[in-house]
Amino acid sequence: MNRAPWHEYFMLLAKMVALRSGCNSRPSGAVIVKDKRILATGYNGPMPGAWHCTDRGPGYCFRREKGIPDIDKYNFCRATHAEANAIAQAARFGISVEGADLYCTLAPCYVCLKLIASAGIKAVYYEYDYGSRDFERDAFWKEAIKEAGLVEFRQIRVSEEVLRQVQEILPYPTSKRRLPPTEFLEKFENGETYRLPAAEVLKNKLRYQTGLDSLSEIRFIIERATTEKLPEENFSFLLAGERLGFSPLCEEIYEALSRDERKELVLKIDALEVPVSFIREAEGVRLLVHLPKIDQKHFEKVLFFLDHLAYQLSHRLTLPFKLEFRLKALLLKT
């Protein structure tokens, strides 16, 4: 599932807030946001504690019941608009909305626009144009936007992709597991082969090997090299008996693999010498490492250094690298 863009995320929240609206005609919601943090919300409805038009049934409207025409609707509508309620909620709890953004499902009317400007809100994002039967008044409202001092006044629509995701996530239960569950505690067994997506995954799994002092005759295959940064360890390399630095070593291996040749080297760390083979295969390169008895600390150093080396060569050759470690004995940390 892709993450919804910020504008669509906050507009979706405004639409959800509108579920609390007490208006049967135009349910509306508003969200005030600053630095991507929600300050207040509001929906159109009557004064606190008063009855809602929705309380009288799905088709009820107080103004319409009284026969009041559109020209005088603001004097007889029971609801405060969503934007005004959001600003009032912030004021009630002492929250400054200066410099904030407002997301609303309906473009603000002139009354709310003046309130927005006075509160110091700097951007308004709306889903649907207001529009009424009084076209001259509507045109005047749109001109008034230029006087409101807003940095931005823009229509935002939630994309079909995000709406599809909403349809997937809303039905109960939202947080039901979508990926296969992991083992509570995964233990490695002697003599087995384990495939892991990255070196870091192997390191983390080794951390949780409890009740074991060592592993023997075990093989780890790392499917992809991912270590971008060169570990700060004291390594040296022997290639055909000659000591090389990291950059010349990379060049030697690159040239050999470019010619589809196998390349052998010895990695030295402290008193340990580790034979390493680079083998060109049909689908990429396999880095094969044979390790005698080694403790976990030194193994992890070897693991991440060779993973970094494979990462560098993989990008230069534009070929996938796999790392295969065959261990006679791995002494685990206790």
Side-chain angles (χ1 to χ4, degrees):
M1 186 176 77
N2 296 324
R3 299 174 72 195
W6 283 112
H7 283 314
E8 295 184 47
Y9 167 70
F10 289 123
M11 187 59 73
L12 274 174
L13 292 178
K15 291 164 78 69
M16 294 297 290
V17 171
L19 288 172
R20 287 289 301 164
S21 170
C23 179
N24 282 315
S25 178
R26 277 189 165 181
S28 304
V31 177
I32 300 175
V33 176
K34 189 171 184 180
D35 298 327
K36 297 184 174 64
R37 298 293 181 267
I38 297 170
L39 302 181
T41 64
Y43 51 85
N44 56 335
M47 294 178 288
W51 58 267
H52 297 251
C53 286
T54 52
D55 294 336
R56 302 292 174 91
Y60 180 82
C61 171
F62 177 78
R63 176 178 66 84
R64 287 173 171 81
E65 183 188 51
K66 300 300 181 186
I68 307 299
D70 195 75
I71 194 171
D72 204 20
K73 64 180 179 180
Y74 289 113
N75 288 324
F76 286 88
C77 178
R78 292 182 55 79
T80 302
H81 286 184
E83 308 93 309
N85 268 330
I87 293 170
Q89 184 188 56
R92 184 176 181 180
F93 292 99
I95 301 170
S96 172
V97 297
E98 186 171 4
D101 301 336
L102 185 141
Y103 292 81
C104 44
T105 57
L106 187 63
C109 69
Y110 186 41
V111 175
C112 286
L113 181 65
K114 290 184 287 185
L115 188 58
I116 288 166
S118 296
I121 290 171
K122 290 302 180 185
V124 172
Y125 303 99
Y126 64 96
E127 182 186 45
Y128 190 74
D129 273 316
Y130 195 92
S132 71
R133 298 292 183 88
D134 191 332
F135 303 121
E136 184 178 352
R137 181 182 62 188
D138 292 348
F140 169 70
W141 286 0
K142 289 181 179 179
E143 282 297 312
I145 294 168
K146 300 174 184 176
E147 301 175 346
L150 298 174
V151 174
E152 192 166 24
F153 186 90
R154 180 157 61 95
Q155 189 171 33
I156 296 290
R157 291 187 178 176
V158 180
S159 66
E160 291 296 325
E161 169 64 17
V162 172
L163 288 174
R164 182 186 62 76
Q165 292 178 31
V166 171
Q167 290 173 351
E168 290 177 358
I169 206 170
L170 280 183
Y172 172 85
T174 294
S175 298
K176 183 179 179 181
R177 192 188 306 278
R178 296 171 183 222
L179 300 178
T182 57
E183 294 294 333
F184 180 72
L185 186 63
E186 182 179 355
K187 285 192 174 183
F188 292 140
E189 301 288 342
N190 294 330
E192 296 293 333
T193 296
Y194 296 93
R195 294 181 177 273
L196 302 115
E200 185 179 20
V201 175
L202 175 54
K203 177 185 176 182
N204 288 333
K205 287 186 179 294
L206 286 173
R207 286 174 55 200
Y208 296 100
Q209 299 303 306
T210 58
L212 292 173
D213 295 325
S214 64
L215 292 165
S216 61
E217 300 296 340
I218 194 165
R219 185 165 64 132
F220 297 119
I221 298 174
I222 307 300
E223 298 287 355
R224 187 167 61 94
T226 57
T227 305
E228 298 183 28
K229 186 178 179 182
L230 179 65
E232 296 178 2
E233 302 293 346
N234 185 25
F235 292 101
S236 60
F237 319 97
L238 295 176
L239 195 63
E242 180 183 356
R243 192 177 297 273
L244 290 177
F246 184 77
S247 295
L249 174 73
C250 287
E251 193 63 35
E252 286 278 350
I253 299 171
Y254 171 77
E255 292 295 336
L257 293 175
S258 297
R259 297 189 298 269
D260 292 339
E261 295 177 0
R262 179 176 176 137
K263 201 68 178 176
E264 311 280 349
L265 65 90
V266 174
L267 171 66
K268 294 193 69 176
I269 173 171
D270 297 334
L272 186 68
E273 292 191 355
V274 180
V276 183
S277 302
F278 290 81
I279 306 166
R280 185 73 166 85
E281 297 179 334
E283 296 180 355
V285 177
R286 179 163 58 104
L287 193 156
L288 179 61
V289 186
H290 290 275
L291 288 163
K293 186 176 180 180
I294 187 172
D295 63 75
Q296 186 176 340
K297 178 181 177 182
H298 282 89
F299 173 64
E300 288 177 1
K301 289 181 179 181
V302 172
L303 169 67
F304 282 100
F305 176 79
L306 291 177
D307 194 66
H308 172 72
L309 179 59
Y311 177 86
Q312 295 295 327
L313 291 167
S314 174
H315 280 69
R316 187 168 179 187
L317 289 163
T318 62
L319 288 171
F321 271 61
K322 289 185 178 181
L323 293 84
E324 181 177 341
F325 295 89
R326 298 181 181 180
L327 295 93
K328 284 288 184 182
L330 175 59
L331 306 179
L332 299 173
K333 295 176 184 176
T334 56

